[in-house]
Amino acid sequence: MTNPALHLYADAQYASPYAMSVFVALHEKALAFELSTVDLAKSENQQPEFAAKSLTRRVPTLIHDGFALSESSAITEYLEETFPGVALYPADRQQRARARQVQAWLRSDLMPIRQERSTEVVFYGPTTAPLSGAAQLAAEKLFAMADALIAQGEKHLFGEWSIADVDLALMLNRLVLNGDPVPHRLAQYALAQWQRPSVQRWLTLERPPL
């Protein structure tokens, strides 16, 4: 039995943490999909061809049998509800809600970290610029949240792997891979998540020069 047609649109640099989240989810579900890139620097996402596919004109956008969906957490929830295979979210209702909370929070908060440690430091190389006071405060908030959710001795947020682990590890690795101070336990968690085969598939994609 072949999988229904799936087509993922990602950024040309493969640096979007949100495109990465969907890419990993597709591989975790063992789904065959076509991968295309959109050059955001050239505003290709605003061109009529892509605008006709994506209501928000953003990446990632996933097309499944003619149904187009953007916003990464909406896509991963759709994949979870549509396809069998590895679970992307916890089975427990409250833990599943917490996973969604983590995803929403990482996408809407911690802006100083996202600005000063863009994903270029993760996928292209570190920067020597020091963290501002605002970014240090954001990092402290990130560490407190992660420390509260990752139980001692656990490898994942909710006992078993979930897509929220990928999203949290990416945020932590903005700091870890840049050489910024990160509590050892959290740094080890983030680096361990980076070794997951589905994540490694994203990391080894060929990226054009910046």
Side-chain angles (χ1 to χ4, degrees), residues 168-170 172-173 176 185-195:
L168 178 57
L170 186 284
L172 287 167
N173 274 329
V176 174
R185 187 171 79 93
L186 301 183
Q188 291 300 108
Y189 159 83
L191 292 174
Q193 294 294 332
W194 235 228
Q195 298 309 308

Side-chain angles (χ1 to χ4, degrees), residues 24-25 28 86-90 156-166 193 196 198-199:
V24 167
E28 290 290 339
V86 171
L88 301 178
Y89 291 89
H156 308 298
L157 281 168
F158 307 107
E160 298 291 336
W161 177 89
S162 75
I163 196 65
D165 284 298
V166 174
Q193 294 294 332
R196 196 168 180 89
S198 57
V199 174

Side-chain angles (χ1 to χ4, degrees), residues 35-49:
L35 178 63
S36 296
T37 59
V38 178
D39 194 330
L40 303 180
K42 295 180 179 178
S43 298
E44 287 183 358
N45 56 312
Q46 301 296 339
Q47 297 302 311
E49 182 180 0

Side-chain angles (χ1 to χ4, degrees), residues 13-139:
Q13 276 70 43
Y14 298 123
S16 165
Y18 314 120
M20 173 182 170
S21 187
V22 174
F23 178 95
V24 167
L26 287 162
H27 279 288
E28 290 290 339
K29 290 289 188 183
L31 296 169
F33 64 97
E34 183 177 352
L35 178 63
S36 296
T37 59
V38 178
D39 194 330
L40 303 180
K42 295 180 179 178
S43 298
E44 287 183 358
N45 56 312
Q46 301 296 339
Q47 297 302 311
E49 182 180 0
F50 185 72
K53 298 183 178 81
S54 176
L55 286 173
T56 58
R57 304 185 186 187
R58 286 155 63 103
V59 295
T61 288
L62 181 73
I63 299 178
H64 173 215
D65 281 348
F67 171 66
L69 186 65
S70 55
E71 304 307 317
S72 57
S73 59
I75 297 172
T76 53
E77 289 185 34
Y78 175 77
L79 292 173
E80 178 75 329
E81 294 173 358
T82 306
F83 298 101
V86 171
L88 301 178
Y89 291 89
D92 178 81
R93 181 178 60 184
Q94 292 186 347
Q95 289 188 335
R96 189 164 61 250
R98 185 72 75 199
R100 289 167 171 161
Q101 177 190 0
V102 169
Q103 286 189 298
W105 181 65
L106 292 171
R107 286 157 172 75
S108 61
D109 202 353
L110 308 174
M111 186 57 73
I113 297 176
R114 289 190 280 159
Q115 290 176 332
E116 298 178 30
R117 297 295 182 262
S118 76
T119 52
E120 289 180 10
V121 307
V122 176
F123 301 118
Y124 281 92
T127 177
T128 57
L131 289 172
S132 67
Q136 291 178 39
L137 287 174

